[in-house]
Amino acid sequence: MTATFPAPGPLAQARLAAAQEPVEETAISVRGLWKIFGPGEHKIIGTRLADLSRDELRLASGSNVAVRDVSFDVRPGEVFVVMGLSGSGKSTLIRCLTRLIEPTAGEVLLDKEDIGKASQARLRELRRHRLSMVFQHFGLLPHRRVIDNVAFGLEIRGEPKKARRDKAAHMLSLVGLEGQEMRYPDQLSGGMQQRVGLARALAVDPEVMLFDEPFSALDPLIRRDMQNEVIRLHHEVGKTMIFITHDLAEALKLGDHVAIMRAGEIVQIGRPEEIVGAPADDYVEDFVQDVPKSYVLTLGWIMREVRPEDRLDGPEFPSATVIRSAVHAAATADGPIKVVDDGKLVGMVDRRLILSAIAGTEPEA
């Protein structure tokens, strides 16, 4: 199979290498996580059976590997997206993080606290105060008004009625449902119900929010609106988010980092431009081959070093600018685009690089 172009420029290659270094500060760290369903699940890891494929293990032991030796770090305040097809293990993975499903082996560290070692009482406390989940099925209480659905987690905590209702009202305003407080869930559209679920998750002020394919049952236009809502809320409240999806476009739109899963394993983790511009194998490359590269890759991905002959009076853009946003400037400017971060000139992008990125080809020498 042919390589996916445009390949990263020399400066982007250096950034790729730096990205492989260990993460110093993490909100959640997952280390060697396994989930095996079936007889003798705890006796398989560390034996030759653990090296078998899913089908081979099923035939040999009657067990099924849903999550296989998964490790990753989630930085504070980022959106970390786990993307995979049906059966890839992504939903099992997110349930293992909160022990809705008990992992077979491995560690899940929440700010260095091992969730796997937490007592049931401590686990309940973590779920009530530090972790919050939003599911595909909204799980709203049909006999309770919207404001009381949002306040439900605060009620479980034992907070006074007025305080929890005041906070719930604020959360409803935050998600654009001001004025809907006294309605019942069945009086709302699917998109509005999902906003209620989002407000309920936010109301407990968690450190980490977990989303398990929350928008997959929504109509395309409502789904897009909800994606934009998550982006807006992330910018406003800055929560760490782990988001599960089977939709590549959704993953690339929402994720600061994206993990691609297949058959229970993570095959690649990277920023959206790294997934699209430098796929780890043929499987990932098949996923991203139809993605318009100029909609995902950034100027930082294709920029080159500054040359003595470069004109320095061209337009300026930060390196995080997606290529398509700079097309007009590149077409109308006499000189190359200056890539500037924090007031420092870090590279240049000329029309040749822009055109090759749009065409999906290697730039000519």
Side-chain angles (χ1 to χ4, degrees):
M1 184 174 291
T2 57
T4 299
F5 296 118
L11 299 179
Q13 289 180 24
R15 293 199 306 168
L16 278 172
Q20 306 307 313
E21 298 176 359
V23 178
E24 292 185 2
E25 185 180 4
T26 63
I28 283 190
S29 291
V30 177
R31 294 289 177 268
L33 193 69
W34 288 76
K35 180 56 191 177
I36 301 173
F37 294 100
E41 67 174 276
H42 297 285
K43 299 178 182 178
I44 292 173
I45 301 170
T47 73
R48 62 175 184 81
L49 292 174
D51 297 325
L52 299 179
S53 69
R54 272 184 169 181
D55 290 341
E56 291 169 338
L57 180 63
R58 192 178 300 113
L59 289 173
S61 69
S63 298
N64 181 57
V65 179
V67 177
R68 182 192 293 268
D69 197 19
V70 164
S71 298
F72 60 86
D73 292 310
V74 181
R75 296 163 175 81
E78 81 165 335
V79 180
F80 187 93
V81 177
V82 181
M83 182 265 170
L85 299 180
S86 178
S88 63
K90 59 189 185 299
S91 289
T92 301
L93 170 62
I94 199 170
R95 283 166 168 76
C96 285
L97 300 185
T98 58
R99 285 175 56 194
L100 292 175
I101 294 176
E102 289 288 346
T104 303
E107 292 182 331
V108 178
L109 305 177
L110 173 63
D111 192 24
K112 300 180 181 177
E113 178 180 357
D114 190 346
I115 294 177
K117 295 179 179 178
S119 66
Q120 287 300 314
R122 176 58 178 160
L123 189 57
R124 286 193 295 271
E125 184 178 349
L126 291 174
R127 291 172 179 168
R128 290 175 182 175
H129 295 272
R130 302 182 66 185
L131 299 165
S132 189
M133 285 200 70
V134 181
F135 295 95
Q136 175 181 343
H137 303 291
F138 317 128
L140 303 182
L141 302 172
H143 62 288
R144 289 195 169 209
R145 297 183 187 274
V146 164
I147 193 165
D148 293 317
N149 266 280
V150 175
F152 184 69
L154 302 173
E155 181 180 349
I156 295 297
R157 283 188 190 175
E159 295 193 17
K161 184 173 182 178
K162 184 179 187 308
R164 66 179 185 252
R165 278 202 160 196
D166 286 346
K167 189 164 189 179
H170 175 65
M171 292 301 114
L172 285 168
S173 176
L174 195 63
V175 300
L177 288 180
E178 193 170 10
Q180 307 296 324
E181 294 87 350
M182 303 310 293
R183 300 182 74 183
Y184 288 96
D186 63 1
Q187 296 175 312
L188 303 179
S189 68
M192 293 172 75
Q193 289 182 37
Q194 192 59 284
R195 287 173 187 262
V196 176
L198 188 55
R200 181 177 58 188
L202 284 167
V204 297
D205 194 24
E207 293 176 32
V208 179
M209 299 184 68
L210 307 168
F211 297 80
D212 187 13
E213 299 201 62
F215 310 145
S216 60
L218 301 178
D219 293 335
L221 290 179
I222 299 175
R223 182 171 184 158
R224 183 190 64 191
D225 289 343
M226 288 303 301
Q227 291 167 356
N228 292 335
E229 189 70 15
V230 167
I231 293 171
R232 181 184 69 81
L233 286 172
H234 181 250
H235 288 159
E236 287 192 17
V237 300
K239 296 294 182 185
T240 303
M241 299 179 178
I242 300 178
F243 196 100
I244 303 296
T245 183
H246 65 268
D247 186 291
L248 178 63
E250 185 167 75
L252 297 176
K253 180 177 182 178
L254 297 179
D256 294 309
H257 284 87
V258 177
I260 306 291
M261 285 194 76
R262 177 184 58 190
E265 299 180 79
I266 288 182
V267 294
Q268 185 173 0
I269 298 176
R271 295 189 178 277
E273 63 178 343
E274 295 165 6
I275 299 293
V276 171
D281 59 15
D282 289 351
Y283 180 79
V284 180
E285 187 169 347
D286 283 342
F287 260 116
V288 304
Q289 64 179 345
D290 295 326
V291 175
K293 305 300 186 291
S294 64
Y295 281 63
V296 179
L297 300 184
T298 63
L299 297 183
W301 186 261
I302 62 171
M303 68 183 181
R304 57 170 174 78
E305 295 180 344
V306 181
R307 299 168 182 165
E309 67 271 19
D310 282 332
R311 295 181 57 172
L312 298 179
D313 57 352
E316 295 184 4
F317 287 90
S319 63
T321 305
V322 293
I323 292 169
R324 67 184 177 95
S325 299
V327 169
H328 178 73
T332 56
D334 293 330
I337 290 174
K338 294 186 294 182
V339 183
V340 178
D341 286 335
D342 298 323
K344 181 181 177 181
L345 180 63
V346 295
M348 306 291 284
V349 175
D350 53 34
R351 292 176 189 170
R352 175 183 61 91
L353 293 171
I354 291 279
L355 291 173
S356 65
I358 294 172
T361 60
E362 276 191 301
E364 297 179 1

